[in-house]
Amino acid sequence: MRIRFGMVLLVFLGLPAAFVGVTAAFYALAALGERALLKWFGVPGGGGAVNSVTLMVLMLMVFAGLLTLAERKWSGAMQDRIGPNRANIGSFRWGGLPHFLADALKMIFKEDFTPERASKFLFSVAPALVFVPAMLLFAVVPVAPPIYTSLHGLLAEPVTVALQVAAPDFGVLFVFAFASLAVYGTTIAGWASNNKLALLGAVRASSQMIGYEVALGLSLVGMMLTFSTVRLDAMSALQGTWLWGGTGAFDVGLPAWGIFLQPIGFLLFFAAAFAETKRAPFDMPEGESEIVGYFVEYSGLKFGLFMISEFVEVVVLSGVITAIFLGGYHLPFGERWLQMHIGPNWLATLQGATFWVKVLIMCWLQLTVRWTFPRFRYDQVQKLCWKMLLPLGLANIFVSGALVLLDRGDLRLLALAGILEIVVMVAVIAVKPKPAAVPQVAEAAAHGHAAGH
């Protein structure tokens, strides 16, 4: 019991502290890269180049790799079992932590089998077409705000850097564009395998992903109308304002977070993006019990790319939701007080750590959904998309547009509608349905059968 309590305490205290240190280190590396590129070539952009390595290659891949272990450990906890804990480095097991390293080594050195009659080139390129777009989506996610720093005098001239790889004017459209590219990888993987069951999985995947891309696009239109921008960094910055309150010493009030302004949009985006990841309960393209899956013929590192791309999508989805709906890198209160006492740069570091904590919470939520709900039937997956999410998304756009026009720049009316929607949703979830009454005919038959015996 003491060991378990110590592990829980280490997670709740150690992870936020680690995120603070990582964010500070990434800021320093970005500033050094920005200054080096300005000095050597006279052009900006060094911070973004460094961020592409630190944020996307290092942080994103480490997060995704650790999720492969976290999912098995969390499913084990939900099913009252220990989960994987046998991999070790010498005499140290670290609660099973070396398992994701063992998995990586296994994928790298495992035999890479290609079916004899498969299309060799397309069969090999399909995993990259799934993995690369999922990874590139994180390029426009703002992890922390811009800072102006000289690294305490280490740099001759101060530079401005932000923990974001790129901030294009078409930020949300970039997400839509690259999210839609993954369907090509899944379709090509099933077709190039020259396997009927793989082709069936590819057809399932393409129809599911194309359908939910429509709902995915509609779910964010309300946020575009609310903040009058499609840039993710602008959306994150605007969520640092206040709807009510925010004038005291600790800025206590209701912040202008997207989830308060667009709760329906949040649910639509989460459901549609979750279906895009093709994870349970939306794992119809990968029906293991039916030996159906668009990558059923893949092995070795190619299979590993398909597997890790799902966990990369989990992290990217969590990052996009955090940036658009959960206040981005902003704290719920106390930012002005912290800025006065610790300075803007350390506040930005703390905000970056806050972003990673929110991402971690959203990853945990997705793992919980994955191991709570059973797999939907294929008709249920399509019904949810076309008969529920699509009409609800259109209605949300109409209501949001009308309220934005009535507000005339003030978001309080939209926030009141959002709070009312949250109250209604909580009330619907809290009401327990009455158990269905037993039909009298069946009840009578049961009594007669018992009397006969």
Side-chain angles (χ1 to χ4, degrees):
M1 182 62 69
R2 291 181 179 178
I3 296 176
R4 183 173 298 180
F5 177 77
M7 292 294 293
V8 172
L9 189 64
L10 178 63
V11 169
F12 278 95
L13 296 180
L15 280 179
F19 288 148
V20 170
V22 166
T23 305
F26 286 178
Y27 264 132
L29 291 174
L32 290 172
E34 185 72 23
R35 185 58 194 158
L37 198 61
L38 285 171
K39 182 179 179 180
W40 296 338
F41 300 100
V43 294
V50 172
N51 287 335
S52 64
V53 177
T54 56
L55 296 181
M56 297 178 62
V57 177
L58 182 60
M59 200 66 180
L60 182 59
M61 291 306 299
V62 170
F63 238 110
L66 290 176
L67 279 182
T68 61
L69 173 66
E71 178 165 62
R72 289 178 287 174
K73 297 292 286 187
W74 183 242
S75 64
M78 295 181 70
Q79 297 169 358
D80 196 21
R81 53 185 177 83
I82 297 175
N85 68 340
R86 307 301 295 179
N88 61 287
I89 300 177
S91 59
F92 298 98
R93 292 183 178 176
W94 300 97
L97 189 61
H99 266 274
F100 87 101
L101 298 175
D103 289 339
L105 292 174
K106 181 183 72 174
M107 294 298 178
I108 292 173
F109 293 104
K110 193 174 181 181
E111 179 185 5
D112 187 8
F113 175 79
T114 302
E116 182 179 355
R117 302 185 63 181
S119 177
K120 300 295 189 297
F121 174 74
L122 294 178
F123 186 85
S124 299
V125 79
L129 290 177
V130 174
F131 174 76
V132 173
M135 189 174 181
L136 289 179
L137 287 177
F138 203 75
V140 296
V141 176
V143 174
I147 64 171
Y148 186 69
T149 179
S150 63
L151 297 181
H152 302 286
L154 180 62
L155 302 179
E157 297 181 6
V159 293
T160 301
V161 291
L163 294 190
Q164 185 180 8
V165 177
D169 293 334
F170 47 86
V172 173
L173 302 182
F174 180 91
V175 174
F176 293 157
F178 278 88
S180 63
L181 289 180
V183 68
Y184 291 101
T186 58
T187 304
I188 290 174
W191 182 85
S193 298
N194 193 32
N195 182 307
K196 294 180 179 179
L197 297 179
L199 182 60
L200 177 59
V203 172
R204 286 180 174 182
S206 59
S207 61
Q208 177 176 317
M209 295 175 70
I210 291 174
Y212 278 92
E213 282 171 9
V214 178
L216 188 73
L218 291 176
S219 64
L220 293 184
V221 174
M223 287 299 297
M224 299 178 198
L225 294 173
T226 300
F227 292 126
S228 300
T229 182
V230 295
R231 295 184 55 161
L232 269 70
D233 56 332
M235 289 184 180
S236 293
L238 289 171
Q239 290 179 79
T241 59
W242 296 89
L243 297 168
W244 288 279
T247 57
F250 292 98
D251 297 334
V252 178
L254 184 66
W257 288 11
I259 193 170
F260 300 125
L261 299 169
Q262 289 286 312
I264 297 296
F266 167 76
L267 290 179
L268 292 176
F269 183 81
F270 182 77
F274 200 100
E276 284 280 294
T277 63
K278 305 176 295 300
R279 289 167 54 81
F282 297 97
D283 60 338
M284 286 303 301
E286 306 162 15
E288 294 91 347
S289 58
E290 308 159 31
I291 325 178
V292 173
Y294 56 91
F295 57 90
V296 69
E297 293 285 2
Y298 284 86
S299 61
L301 191 57
K302 293 188 180 71
F303 171 82
L305 282 177
F306 279 113
M307 184 191 71
I308 198 65
S309 64
E310 291 188 2
F311 292 97
V312 169
E313 289 172 350
V314 170
V315 182
V316 171
L317 169 57
S318 302
V320 173
I321 287 180
T322 299
I324 297 178
F325 292 102
L326 300 182
Y329 44 73
H330 289 289
L331 281 74
F333 57 86
E335 287 189 343
R336 185 164 44 189
W337 183 88
L338 287 170
Q339 184 172 0
M340 290 188 299
H341 288 79
I342 66 176
N345 289 358
W346 279 111
L347 172 62
T349 303
L350 188 59
Q351 288 174 327
T354 302
F355 175 87
W356 290 118
V357 170
K358 293 178 182 178
V359 168
L360 188 63
I361 293 173
M362 288 304 304
C363 290
W364 167 81
L365 178 61
Q366 292 182 68
L367 299 188
T368 303
V369 173
R370 162 70 175 83
W371 291 98
T372 300
F373 294 94
R375 179 192 299 166
F376 294 156
R377 296 196 315 266
Y378 191 74
D379 62 309
Q380 292 174 330
V381 171
Q382 298 297 334
K383 181 180 179 180
L384 176 65
C385 174
W386 296 107
K387 293 186 177 181
M388 299 177 68
L389 297 187
L390 182 61
L392 194 59
L394 293 173
N396 183 61
I397 293 173
F398 176 79
V399 173
S400 300
L403 292 177
V404 168
L405 288 176
L406 291 174
D407 276 340
R408 297 183 181 275
D410 189 359
L411 300 177
R412 293 186 178 183
L413 187 59
L414 189 63
L416 288 174
I419 294 172
L420 180 60
E421 292 171 0
I422 294 174
V423 171
V424 171
M425 287 186 288
V426 171
V428 170
I429 295 173
V431 174
K432 295 182 179 180
K434 296 181 179 180
V438 179
Q440 296 182 358
V441 176
E443 187 177 359
H447 284 298
H449 181 73
H453 283 280

